Amino acid sequence: FLAIIGFAPVQAQRPPRIFISVDMEGIGGIGTPAMTSPTGKDYALGRKLMTDEVNAVVGAILQRGPADILVNDSHGDMQNLLNAELDPRVTYIQGAVKPFGMVEGLDSTYAAAIFLGYHSRAGTPNGFIAHTGTGAVKGLWLNDIEVGEGELNAAYAGSIGVPVIMAEGDSAFVQQFTRTV
């Protein structure tokens, strides 16, 4: 006697989706404004440092298991990462035509968001290249709290249910971010 018992196919668990927004001023090793400007003499080194930092974080994520990672270049004209040197397992978006700017591509299907290379908000006395947005913004408030780009982006992520699991940048940014968020 042979019985064939049907089982529903086991659906493979989809890997988590991780969103990474990467700015440049708060990247480790960036020490002068010239390293963040396309016309600066050390811009090539700044791009390399930025790309290496993204790859280090991507590598750490993927050591834990598979993940679907989207990297959004979020500095200046948003074409700074060396895409030929980025980990090939990521999806990379670049270019300044992004309705949501630094959080372009982030939606509620992501398990987490990571902010790399961020800087403190406009007017921060000890902030390295402190500014908000293009630099024209002198102050930005959410619910009567002054915020910078990181807090604004975290508020957006939170509004769609995506936790920010890591935010790194210059020391003034980290201090502001942890006090605000």
Side-chain angles (χ1 to χ4, degrees):
F1 173 74
L2 177 62
I4 300 177
I5 303 171
F7 289 97
V10 176
Q11 298 240 342
Q13 185 175 359
R14 291 173 45 142
R17 298 184 79 206
I18 308 294
F19 176 85
I20 300 175
S21 170
V22 58
D23 205 349
M24 195 173 205
E25 293 86 354
I27 293 292
I30 299 289
T32 68
M35 295 178 83
T36 68
S37 171
T39 59
K41 70 180 183 94
D42 295 322
Y43 178 62
L45 176 57
R47 293 179 73 196
K48 176 77 171 130
L49 293 169
M50 185 181 186
T51 303
D52 289 349
E53 195 154 310
V54 169
N55 284 339
V57 170
V58 167
I61 292 167
L62 294 174
Q63 277 185 338
R64 297 185 57 113
D68 178 8
I69 302 171
L70 174 64
V71 175
N72 181 3
D73 189 324
S74 298
H75 175 73
D77 68 357
M78 301 183 182
Q79 298 181 82
N80 305 279
L81 291 167
L82 301 171
N83 58 349
E85 294 182 25
L86 274 176
D87 189 304
R89 298 169 289 184
V90 305
T91 301
Y92 172 49
I93 57 174
Q94 65 178 350
V97 182
K98 297 177 187 169
F100 288 91
M102 297 175 86
V103 288
E104 181 68 33
L106 179 61
D107 62 37
S108 63
T109 65
Y110 283 85
I114 294 173
F115 302 153
L116 299 179
Y118 275 48
H119 51 80
S120 55
R121 67 179 171 256
T124 302
N126 297 320
F128 179 70
I129 316 177
H131 65 281
T132 301
T134 63
V137 176
K138 301 302 177 204
L140 175 65
W141 286 262
L142 289 176
N143 298 324
D144 296 326
I145 299 170
E146 189 171 13
V147 300
E149 296 166 12
E151 296 92 345
L152 178 65
N153 294 341
Y156 174 74
S159 76
I160 59 171
V162 178
V164 176
I165 61 168
M166 180 179 161
E168 75 74 43
D170 71 54
S171 58
F173 163 75
V174 171
Q175 188 176 51
Q176 285 175 348
F177 190 85
T178 55
R179 268 194 264 153
T180 307
V181 176

